């Protein structure tokens, strides 16, 4: 296909041949990534939610209001 479309090819130092995509193939490649099943927005939201929950646990004096632990009642690591 690379020869048929006259795409630039180059042999890499690892022995693999790499092909430079044209504009249409680049757009198709990015569209396939966007359409993949990986939910990037969901992953970002889950990370933010986890950060918020961890911050609530470490906020002194407010843990009892939100159902978390107060900083003074958390066990201290030895060492």
């Amino acid at each position: 296909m690379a020869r048929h479309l006259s795409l630039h090819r180059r042999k890499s130092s690892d022995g693999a041949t790499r092909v430079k995509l044209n504009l249409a193939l680049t757009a198709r490649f990015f569209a396939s990534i966007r359409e993949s099943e990986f939910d990037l927005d969901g992953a970002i939201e889950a990370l933010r939610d986890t950060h918020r929950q961890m911050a609530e646990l470490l906020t002194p004096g407010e843990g009892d209001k939100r159902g978390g632990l107060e900083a003074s009642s958390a066990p201290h690591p030895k060492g």
Side-chain angles (χ1 to χ4, degrees):
M1 186 170 176
R3 283 188 194 134
H4 177 72
L5 295 174
S6 300
L7 300 175
H8 178 74
R9 294 175 291 147
R10 173 181 272 173
K11 190 80 134 178
S12 297
S13 60
D14 64 357
T17 301
R18 305 281 198 275
V19 176
K20 187 181 286 189
L21 300 178
N22 62 19
L23 185 60
L25 289 173
T26 302
R28 198 162 123 192
F29 172 73
F30 284 122
S32 70
I33 291 173
R34 278 194 297 273
E35 294 169 0
S36 69
E37 292 184 25
F38 182 71
D39 182 16
L40 184 58
D41 292 332
I44 291 169
E45 184 60 34
L47 183 60
R48 287 181 176 152
D49 188 46
T50 301
H51 179 268
R52 181 187 52 76
Q53 290 174 7
M54 292 173 68
E56 286 176 358
L57 290 174
L58 296 176
T59 303
E62 293 187 23
D64 55 341
K65 295 176 190 171
R66 297 180 186 175
L69 298 172
E70 286 192 30
S72 61
S73 65
H76 291 81
K78 293 182 181 180

